[in-house]
Amino acid sequence: MKTYSAKPEEIEKKWVLIDAKGLVVGRLASLVALRLRGKHLPIYTPHVDCGDNVIVVNAEKVVLTGRKREQKVYHHHTGHIGGIKERSAKFILEGKFPQRIVEKAVERMLPRGPLGRRQLGNLRVYAGPDHPHEAQQPVALDIAAMNRKNSRSA
């Protein structure tokens, strides 16, 4: 029996909607990355983008366990000498773009390279409960019901 390898034209992408309210960031990100890569499908092929399009809403209401909200630090470099900057997770969540916490967590769980960047393009994260993708008829996925550890009360 030969090993099946999916072709790009055979892939049928679905749209999935996830409500992130009260969900733990790392657990949410790992399940979103799994969906983006297509590893939940029996036709998974490592070199083909066979994952779903994922919409995450209420990203501002995610939960960080322990003291990560105050202690977790995100670094970025300006490009100038000595230009390393850092921000705490609390600063980002209370700032203008709280969805970047979820985006960065998922990005770091995807492979680096052209395929990983294409798969990350299938992710849409919104801070509030509204999204402009109603026409795609996304199917709601309840991550909190999958495992009791996936959600926490803030």
Side-chain angles (χ1 to χ4, degrees):
M1 182 172 178
K2 291 194 174 196
T3 303
Y4 176 76
S5 182
K7 316 301 184 280
E9 58 273 2
E10 296 172 356
I11 304 300
E12 190 176 316
K13 289 187 166 287
K14 295 183 179 76
W15 285 79
V16 178
L17 176 68
I18 297 172
D19 188 1
K21 185 176 180 183
L23 296 179
V24 177
V25 173
R27 288 175 169 271
L28 168 67
S30 65
L31 289 166
V32 169
L34 181 99
R35 286 268 169 181
L36 287 172
R37 292 197 67 196
K39 290 189 118 183
H40 64 290
L41 299 171
I43 64 161
Y44 169 71
T45 307
H47 63 279
V48 177
D49 180 13
C50 52
D52 296 335
N53 291 292
V54 180
I55 305 164
V56 179
V57 294
N58 287 324
E60 64 191 359
K61 296 178 182 165
V62 292
V63 178
L64 290 147
T65 59
R67 295 193 306 188
K68 290 188 202 99
R69 189 173 175 92
E70 290 80 26
Q71 292 180 348
K72 184 166 180 61
V73 177
Y74 291 88
H75 294 88
H76 75 278
H77 201 283
T78 62
H80 294 282
I81 297 170
I84 194 154
K85 304 283 184 181
E86 58 182 39
R87 292 185 182 144
S88 69
K90 182 179 180 182
F91 182 82
I92 296 171
L93 282 171
E94 293 174 357
K96 193 173 181 181
F97 303 105
Q99 66 270 21
R100 288 186 181 163
I101 294 279
V102 176
E103 288 171 359
K104 191 55 80 173
V106 173
E107 178 188 337
R108 291 174 176 175
M109 290 187 186
L110 291 174
R112 281 87 179 135
L115 180 61
R117 286 190 291 275
R118 196 168 341 122
Q119 289 168 343
L120 189 63
N122 295 329
L123 174 68
R124 279 90 171 166
V125 183
Y126 299 99
D130 302 323
H131 64 88
H133 305 286
E134 287 300 325
Q136 281 73 30
Q137 299 171 343
V139 177
L141 181 69
D142 190 8
I143 289 184
M146 290 180 179
N147 188 338
R148 65 181 180 83
K149 292 181 181 179
N150 288 352
S151 64
R152 298 261 171 101
S153 56

